[in-house]
Every structure is written in structure tokens, then in C-alpha cells.
């Protein structure tokens, strides 16, 4: 997979090899857990950030985030005529801190299913605590 760096991490332009959706903090981690459960442990590539906003990046097929509504707390990364987005991508091994793979890519062109992600994202981010 040519978009994965050999070492460290690099920024990749969204909308070329993939789009991404970022959900920060514990909500992002709960969303990753939910997708793991829904997919039997293989939701597609998910990158987690250990510092700062502690973002969780869900990599989805290119062009699949732009024309969908997403709940508050979900940040879309794609590129188009008026904007460009970049997503941090770690190497599969070695020193990549503060990034790591929560779920590494398993095969070329295998990404998180956008509609499943949107549904789970809506569920996690709009839940009512009781």
C-alpha cells in the first residue's frame, strides 16, 4: 500500500487514496470499539493519536465523506475545489509516536465502510446519558 510510509509518519492528502473522519478523545475510542464489535474485529484502517486532542482517524474510501451529513464531533477530511485536508498516517512498524494503528490496513483498497461508520458515529455521538 503505497500511501503507508516506511518509517515514522507522514501527512497524506485526503481524497486521493482515502478520505477520513476524525472523532476526538473518548468518543473516538468508543466509536472504534463499536466498529470492532460490529465487524467482528476488522473494521478497516483506524489511526489513533496519543497526545493533543487524542484523535481517532477512520480511513474510508476516497470521495465518500463529502456529500453526507455527520454528527457534531465528527470532522471530515477530504479535498475539493475550495479546500484540502491532510491525514497523519503512521508506518506499520517502528517509532511512530504519537500515532499508531488501532486497526492496521489488511489489504489494498480495504477501508472502513462509510455508511456503517456514519451510523455508528451518530449512535455514539448523539447518545443520551441516563
Amino acid at each position: 500500500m503505497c500511501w503507508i510510509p516506511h518509517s515514522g509518519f507522514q501527512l497524506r492528502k485526503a481524497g486521493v487514496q482515502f478520505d477520513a473522519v476524525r472523532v476526538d478523545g473518548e468518543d473516538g475510542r468508543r466509536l472504534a470499539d463499536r466498529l470492532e464489535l460490529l465487524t467482528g474485529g476488522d473494521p478497516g484502517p483506524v489511526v489513533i493519536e496519543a497526545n493533543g486532542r487524542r484523535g481517532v482517524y477512520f480511513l474510508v474510501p476516497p470521495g465518500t465523506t463529502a456529500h453526507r451529513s455527520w454528527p457534531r464531533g465528527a470532522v471530515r477530511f477530504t479535498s475539493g475545489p475550495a479546500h484540502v485536508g491532510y491525514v497523519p498516517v503512521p508506518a506499520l512498524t517502528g517509532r511512530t509516536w504519537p500515532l499508531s494503528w488501532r486497526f492496521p490496513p489488511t489489504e489494498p483498497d480495504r477501508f472502513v465502510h462509510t455508511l456503517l461508520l456514519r451510523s455508528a458515529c451518530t449512535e455514539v455521538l448523539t447518545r443520551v446519558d441516563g
Side-chain angles (χ1 to χ4, degrees), residues 40-90:
D42 185 17
V46 177
V47 173
I48 58 173
E49 194 174 41
N51 66 351
R53 66 184 55 175
R54 297 182 65 233
V56 180
Y57 295 84
F58 300 87
L59 307 187
V60 297
T64 62
T65 63
H67 301 290
R68 300 185 194 292
S69 62
W70 292 85
R72 184 182 309 245
V75 179
R76 296 175 299 135
F77 289 80
T78 189
S79 295
H83 65 280
V84 176
Y86 290 93
V87 179
V89 176

Side-chain angles (χ1 to χ4, degrees), residues 17-67:
Q17 299 289 337
F18 54 82
D19 281 3
V21 174
R22 187 190 76 218
V23 177
D24 295 334
E26 290 308 310
D27 284 338
R29 280 141 178 82
R30 277 193 295 276
L31 180 56
D33 291 344
R34 181 75 179 133
L35 285 174
E36 180 179 26
L37 180 68
L38 292 171
T39 61
D42 185 17
V46 177
V47 173
I48 58 173
E49 194 174 41
N51 66 351
R53 66 184 55 175
R54 297 182 65 233
V56 180
Y57 295 84
F58 300 87
L59 307 187
V60 297
T64 62
T65 63
H67 301 290

